Amino acid sequence: MDGQRVERFAEGSQELMEVHGEGYSHAKSKLPSKDYESLDYDVCYNKPFSQMLASRDKKSLLGQEVVRWIVTGAIGILTGLVAVFIDYFVTLLTKWKFDTIHKSLIACTPSGCLAVTLLILMAINGLFCLIAGILCAIEPVAAGSGIPEIKCYLNGVKVPHVVRLKTLICKAVGVLFSVAGGLFVGKEGPMIHSGAIIGAGVPQFQSIAFRKINFDFPYFRTDREKRDFVSGGAAAGVAAAFGAPIGGVLFSLEEGSSFWNQALTWRSFFCSMASTFTLNFCLTGIFGYGWGLFNQPGLLNFGDFRCKEGTEKCDLWNLQDVLIFIAMGFVGGLLGAWFNALNKHLTVHRILHVYSRAKHVRILEAVLVGFLTTSVAFFGPIYLARCKTLPPGSTKGNDTKPYFCQDGQFNDMATLFFTSQESAIRQLFHLDGAFSLTSLGIFFICFYFLACWTYGASVPSGLFVPCLLCGAAYGRFIGELCRLLGYQHTYHGTFALIGAASFLGGVVRMTISLTVILIESTNEISYGLPIMITLMVCIILLFLCTVYLL
């Protein structure tokens, strides 16, 4: 069997060299060699082991189980606190940046000194991207979302440094700079990695970074125990990101670990609940809602889906919409699959020409991506956007941007670019009649290709929120098109939600956990059926395409 694996690996390497030439061999020789060991998850049930189990005191076993649950709760609380840290400083840095740009735009638009504003924005975003790139140069495993590495760990592959304290610091600090730096990345993916690192470190009662601190508690230091706590930490990360504790457990079950049991289900759910409770409690008090009111269940808030008061014949969705949702599922799945294909070729290019070089090349690439993203986000609203009349009573409740427009109007593309991605998603879900087809199409194309290029750069980056925003723009485009054709009996935000689900499903190829996460994030159970239908269409389409290609 080992001989067959070696032969297949050699054939694959030869095929890759034929496709990409001698550069692949040269790049491979320059990449640092790492030992990817296997983790020992299996328990060898033999006679001495059975005798050892029979000789153990029941009180000690009960005490160990109590400690296991206490440690699980501590993992959830600490994961929630890390999420609070990331969200607070991302909000603080983003608000400071956009307030600075807003003052400059208001002062410079009449006199025509927009170049100064552009330089200020590029300097801020470039500095933030530089810091994120340097942190990933210090610890390369901190780059990306970390979800693939955690999947490897949960399935028995020990990736070097993947659950180290140093990785957690670089990941948590780096992601807030990459998000605040205007890159089309999200903080939800790195939260899963952060939760997994906390799950791996807390039960050990020791750390390589602090070798002198060592507690005499070796009961959870086996690979099997450590794997279970990592599963709970990953579930807590999803729960903190989306405010979806059930979705977090299902994500860890569906996409994470291949080793599962009923006891782990209960502990993962408890860990997710502790994480969600901690995040909700802290953010609600920090942002001034009042301590104990629990108005912020997760890092991502989709808002309330409801028809505007006074609107006639408006439903969230009806039976006629199902056919439209199925068509959107097909298109969204294809767009997501193409996104993965483009990113795969881009990753091969990075391996050949970026990762094989010195670390400063990776940092410069991250800064370059930041500069180009800033330029597109700045010039798009100036030359390609449309000025729209402000919806009645929405000047304060919605974060619309009046840049480059007359009084009483707002710039529809600036409303999406000059704000956080979470706010842009809420605008696409709930701002009625605010976006033209041209602006939505241009925003989708720009965001699609820039997000594809950004994901894989040497910065901490998540993919969930960019895919949701990209899919929401695609779905809102379909909704506005249906409205122009006279079909306006359905809430416009429903099409944006279905578009977001279809595109994200095409990229990450999740069904059960993604459905539950979106339902918990929207707080609208009636969306369960259309989301399930859309995601099933995506997965079936991708499965048929895979079978055809093979």
Side-chain angles (χ1 to χ4, degrees):
M1 188 65 181
D2 291 339
Q4 294 177 359
R5 291 178 180 173
V6 171
E7 184 178 353
R8 285 198 300 269
F9 177 78
E11 292 176 356
S13 301
Q14 182 65 30
E15 181 181 354
L16 191 58
M17 288 183 63
E18 291 175 359
V19 174
H20 300 287
E22 296 180 357
Y24 172 75
S25 178
H26 177 70
K28 182 180 176 183
S29 64
K30 286 191 174 184
L31 288 174
S33 60
K34 296 181 180 179
D35 295 329
Y36 290 84
E37 301 177 355
S38 296
L39 295 167
D40 187 11
Y41 288 162
D42 294 329
V43 176
C44 182
Y45 288 96
N46 49 33
K47 189 173 182 180
F49 181 75
S50 300
Q51 293 176 351
M52 184 273 294
L53 290 179
S55 62
R56 296 186 64 179
D57 186 11
K58 291 185 178 181
K59 288 186 178 181
S60 64
L61 291 175
L62 180 60
Q64 184 176 333
E65 186 66 20
V66 171
V67 173
R68 183 181 284 111
W69 279 87
I70 294 174
V71 170
T72 300
I75 293 171
I77 293 173
L78 291 175
T79 302
L81 292 177
V82 170
V84 171
F85 166 79
I86 293 174
D87 189 67
Y88 175 78
F89 282 100
V90 166
T91 303
L92 190 67
L93 292 175
T94 303
K95 185 178 183 303
W96 170 76
K97 180 182 74 172
F98 284 125
D99 286 346
T100 304
I101 298 304
H102 178 75
K103 294 177 182 178
S104 180
L105 283 174
I106 296 300
C108 287
T109 299
S111 59
C113 55
L114 292 177
V116 177
T117 305
L118 176 60
L119 290 177
I120 295 174
L121 183 59
M122 294 189 73
I124 295 174
N125 286 344
L127 176 62
F128 288 169
C129 294
L130 178 64
I131 296 173
I134 291 175
L135 289 172
C136 288
I138 296 174
E139 185 53 78
V141 185
S145 66
I147 297 177
E149 290 82 358
I150 294 303
K151 285 183 179 180
C152 290
Y153 186 89
L154 291 176
N155 288 278
V157 179
K158 185 178 181 181
V159 180
H161 296 217
V162 71
V163 289
R164 294 280 182 86
L165 179 62
K166 181 181 176 182
T167 304
L168 173 63
I169 296 174
C170 292
K171 174 77 76 173
V173 177
V175 71
L176 65 91
F177 282 105
S178 60
V179 174
L183 295 178
F184 293 157
V185 298
K187 53 184 178 287
E188 283 70 20
M191 269 308 307
I192 300 173
H193 190 186
S194 300
I197 296 174
I198 295 172
V202 172
Q204 308 307 304
F205 293 95
Q206 64 179 3
S207 173
I208 296 178
F210 303 98
R211 293 179 176 86
K212 294 183 179 180
I213 301 176
N214 188 9
F215 294 94
D216 186 18
F217 195 82
Y219 301 103
F220 300 145
R221 294 177 184 174
T222 63
D223 290 340
R224 185 184 181 91
E225 291 283 357
K226 194 173 181 180
R227 176 205 70 204
D228 289 347
F229 285 114
V230 170
S231 298
V238 177
F242 295 97
I246 301 176
V249 176
L250 291 177
F251 173 85
S252 187
L253 172 61
E254 181 183 8
E255 291 293 319
S257 181
S258 296
F259 303 86
W260 201 264
N261 54 69
Q262 187 174 3
L264 181 58
T265 304
W266 285 103
R267 292 203 304 272
S268 297
F269 181 67
F270 176 65
C271 190
S272 299
M273 289 296 297
S275 176
T276 306
F277 176 85
T278 302
L279 176 73
N280 201 340
F281 178 78
C282 293
L283 288 186
T284 302
I286 289 174
F287 291 126
Y289 293 100
W291 294 95
L293 295 181
F294 300 103
N295 291 330
Q296 295 289 317
L299 299 181
L300 186 61
N301 182 17
F302 288 157
D304 295 328
F305 285 78
R306 62 183 64 181
C307 294
K308 186 179 178 181
E309 295 182 3
T311 304
E312 297 181 358
K313 297 181 180 179
C314 177
D315 301 312
L316 290 181
W317 67 281
N318 53 49
L319 188 59
Q320 300 176 7
D321 299 329
V322 174
L323 294 178
I324 302 177
F325 297 159
I326 292 174
M328 291 178 65
F330 273 104
V331 178
L334 289 175
L335 289 172
W338 191 38
F339 184 96
N340 288 345
L342 291 176
N343 191 262
K344 177 182 177 182
H345 291 294
L346 185 60
T347 301
V348 173
H349 176 79
R350 282 193 170 108
I351 292 175
L352 298 177
H353 304 290
V354 179
Y355 295 158
S356 60
R357 301 180 183 273
K359 290 184 178 180
H360 72 272
V361 178
R362 306 182 190 182
I363 300 174
L364 291 176
E365 187 205 15
V367 176
L368 176 63
V369 174
F371 283 158
L372 182 60
T373 303
T374 302
S375 301
V376 172
F378 187 82
F379 288 112
I382 297 178
Y383 298 107
L384 303 175
R386 298 286 182 89
C387 290
K388 308 275 288 186
T389 303
L390 284 168
S394 64
T395 55
K396 184 177 180 180
N398 294 290
D399 192 18
T400 54
K401 304 298 180 183
Y403 306 143
F404 322 115
C405 293
Q406 300 177 358
D407 293 338
Q409 293 183 332
F410 70 98
N411 190 313
D412 59 352
M413 195 177 295
T415 300
L416 298 177
F417 274 125
F418 283 85
T419 186
S420 64
Q421 295 182 46
E422 291 83 356
S423 178
I425 292 174
R426 288 194 296 272
Q427 303 289 357
L428 291 169
F429 282 170
H430 304 297
L431 195 55
D432 187 20
F435 303 100
S436 64
L437 289 176
T438 304
S439 297
L440 287 171
I442 294 173
F443 176 80
F444 171 77
I445 293 173
C446 294
F447 199 95
Y448 184 95
F449 289 104
L450 284 174
C452 184
W453 184 26
T454 305
Y455 190 71
S458 187
V459 293
S461 57
L463 195 59
F464 281 90
V465 171
C467 287
L468 286 173
L469 179 53
C470 196
Y474 148 69
R476 185 62 185 265
F477 181 90
I478 300 298
E480 295 296 332
L481 183 62
C482 292
R483 176 178 297 185
L484 289 178
L485 296 176
Y487 187 81
Q488 51 184 355
H489 303 299
T490 301
Y491 182 60
H492 54 271
T494 300
F495 294 100
L497 177 63
I498 295 301
S502 64
F503 186 82
L504 182 58
V507 173
V508 301
R509 305 184 184 185
M510 295 160 43
T511 52
I512 302 174
S513 56
L514 182 56
T515 300
V516 176
I517 288 172
L518 291 177
I519 292 174
E520 289 186 281
S521 300
T522 57
N523 293 319
E524 186 57 58
I525 191 64
S526 63
Y527 280 132
L529 181 60
I531 292 176
M532 283 188 286
I533 292 175
T534 303
L535 292 177
M536 286 300 298
V537 169
C538 288
I539 299 303
I540 292 174
L541 174 64
L542 295 174
F543 175 75
L544 293 177
C545 291
T546 304
V547 172
Y548 175 77
L549 293 176
L550 292 177

